[in-house]
Structures are given as C-alpha cells and as structure tokens.
Amino acid sequence: MTSGNIQLLSETLAKAKAENRAALIAYLPAGFPTVDGGIAAIKAVFDGGADVVEVGLPHSDPVLDGPVIQTADDIALRGGVKIADVMRTVKEAHEATGKPVLVMTYWNPIDRYGVERFTEELAAAGGAGCILPDLPVQESAVWREHADKHGLATVFVVAPSSKDARLATITAAGSGFVYAASLMGVTGTRESVGEQAADLVRRTRATSGLPVCVGLGVSNATQAKEVAAFADGVIVGSAFVQRILDADGDEAAGLAAVRELAGELAAGVRRVS
C-alpha cells in the first residue's frame, strides 16, 4: 500500500519553525492555465521559495473562493480538467521538487469519485494530504479513516466565528496543520489582514499542538511579514493566480511573475524575532 507524505509536511513545517520563521504555503489550481502550464507554475513557485503548495481541484461552485480563483477554476474546467489531471499535477510537482504538495478540494468531487479511490491515488502520487474547507468534522470519519490509512493529512479550516469549544473539536480531528481563515468571507487579496487573524491563531493554539497557518487576504511581502509574526505558516493563493491572469497567455511571463512573487513572500516570512 502506498503511503502519502504527511510526514514530509510535518517535517517541512517543523524545519521552518526551527529556522525561526513561518512556512510559505502557495495555492494554485490544477489545469490553470493548462494542465502542463499549471505544473510549470507550481515548480516556479517552489523555485521562488515556497515550502508547501496546495493544488486546487477546480470546482464549479467554489464557495470559499473569491473572483480571482473562480476565474482560474472556470478556465481550468473549460479546458476539461479531470481528477486524473489533479493527481498528475501533484505527482509531477512533488517528484520534481521533493516538497510537500496538498490538494485543496470541496467534498462533493471526492464523494463522487470515491473516498478510497481518491486517497489511494493521492498517496500514490506522493501527495501530503487534503484541505477540505466544506467537510464538517462530524461527518469526516470515513474520510479520516482512509486518509490515516494512506498517510495523508486532513487539514480543516477554522474561522474567526469559530467558538473555542468548536475549535477544540476541529483541531482534535485534524492533522498536518490547521488552516486559519483570517477573516469572514471568501479568498482574495485584502488591504489588511488584521487582528482577527492573530486572535484566531492564539485561540486555535490553545486547543492543539498542530501548526496554525493563516490564509485569505495575504498578497504581498508586507502582509506576509505581518502574519508570520504570529502564525506558523502564511498561505497565499489569489495573488499567485492574479499574476498568471495578468500575463494574459504569455506563459514565460507568468512563470517569471509567480517565481518573483514567491521570492518576495519567502523573504517576508523570514521574520526577525
């Protein structure tokens, strides 16, 4: 039985902590702008300094995602992206870099594909786990059983609205790290990431020893530094996607742009204590 790379994910986050910095976690959807182009973009982001990459499984109704990622998902879906392409993206990105690659997906595609089949294929591809923003913890037992069997992390999302008792329930069920949504709402770049996120990280840490990584709203090195001061990881998605959209079909320009942004953000997360 193939085993996924939850251990590699944990070691990567621990190494960043040992270096007195936050980990840089980047998000890019599979199949955007094409399957091959998406794989090249992930390699470029790793090359620029990302520690971990989340590969988005494009979905027609992405409730957590703002307009930028919705646009990318739409391009990928119109291009005919399939779950097999997502697995290939994970496999090629991990094999080329040796770094941890997760899948971020809504529950419906996994449910339709089959939990056992999905976890087995993700582990075989070298995946480190899954971020499941819309799977309620109380309905996650079957998923977690298969994920544990295949050495995959189960990353749940917590929000500023989560009460302390709810946080404890979520973190007890999760593994790998906890995804702290910095604010209420959808993904996208924001002017400020703010105090809500710091409070959420503090409350989440009180319930768990898992690393707490903050996403939603971080788009530049200044914000990355701000979040790195209190979080174990900084998650950036829309800003990377926007760079590729701005390149308007010029693949070389898009790759250069995401590599450059990763470098700026990687400098930002190397906080001075």
Side-chain angles (χ1 to χ4, degrees):
M1 186 180 73
T2 48
S3 183
N5 272 311
I6 184 173
Q7 190 64 35
L8 176 64
L9 175 66
S10 299
E11 287 166 2
T12 300
L13 293 169
K15 181 172 180 285
K17 187 175 185 180
E19 293 171 1
N20 191 36
R21 66 177 179 89
L24 174 59
I25 303 175
Y27 166 96
L28 281 167
F32 169 74
T34 62
V35 176
D36 288 342
I39 293 167
I42 292 167
K43 291 178 186 174
V45 165
F46 272 134
D47 191 39
D51 297 290
V52 180
V53 166
E54 306 170 5
V55 175
L57 193 158
H59 191 51
S60 54
D61 185 25
V63 291
L64 185 75
D65 295 306
V68 173
I69 290 172
Q70 283 186 22
T71 299
D73 277 8
D74 189 48
I75 290 167
L77 290 167
R78 284 204 313 254
V81 72
K82 301 278 190 291
I83 288 180
D85 299 313
V86 178
M87 298 298 180
R88 186 184 138 215
T89 299
V90 171
K91 186 174 197 294
E92 293 194 16
H94 170 65
E95 284 182 351
T97 62
K99 293 186 176 177
V101 182
L102 298 126
V103 168
M104 184 164 188
T105 179
Y106 296 96
W107 180 245
N108 180 259
I110 295 178
D111 195 35
R112 283 170 53 192
Y113 198 71
V115 176
E116 171 62 27
R117 181 182 173 199
F118 190 94
T119 50
E120 193 172 312
E121 289 183 9
L122 183 55
C130 249
I131 301 162
L132 300 157
D134 68 338
L135 177 63
V137 171
Q138 60 272 25
E139 295 171 25
S140 68
V142 171
W143 163 266
R144 286 186 286 130
E145 177 193 334
H146 287 292
D148 289 349
K149 182 169 82 174
H150 289 292
L152 298 167
T154 298
V155 179
F156 288 114
V157 179
V158 297
S161 59
S162 304
K163 301 282 188 282
D164 290 352
R166 178 76 182 150
L167 288 175
T169 302
I170 293 170
T171 58
S175 57
F177 64 92
V178 181
Y179 187 128
S182 67
L183 34 80
M184 302 306 292
V186 297
T187 58
T189 59
R190 296 288 194 288
E191 291 301 311
S192 163
V193 180
E195 291 171 26
Q196 258 190 330
D199 178 63
L200 177 59
V201 169
R202 182 185 56 75
R203 293 194 299 118
T204 305
R205 281 200 180 128
T207 72
S208 172
L210 287 173
V212 184
C213 303
V214 171
L216 272 64
V218 180
S219 60
N220 59 46
T222 304
Q223 290 171 332
K225 184 176 182 180
E226 179 193 349
V227 173
F230 58 80
D232 298 298
V234 178
I235 303 169
V236 181
S238 297
F240 283 113
V241 172
Q242 188 64 56
R243 292 284 177 106
I244 295 173
L245 290 171
D246 288 347
D248 199 23
D250 182 338
E251 187 177 339
L255 294 178
V258 294
R259 188 180 293 110
E260 178 186 45
L261 178 60
E264 292 166 8
L265 293 165
V269 300
R270 282 160 172 78
R271 58 181 182 261
V272 179
S273 59

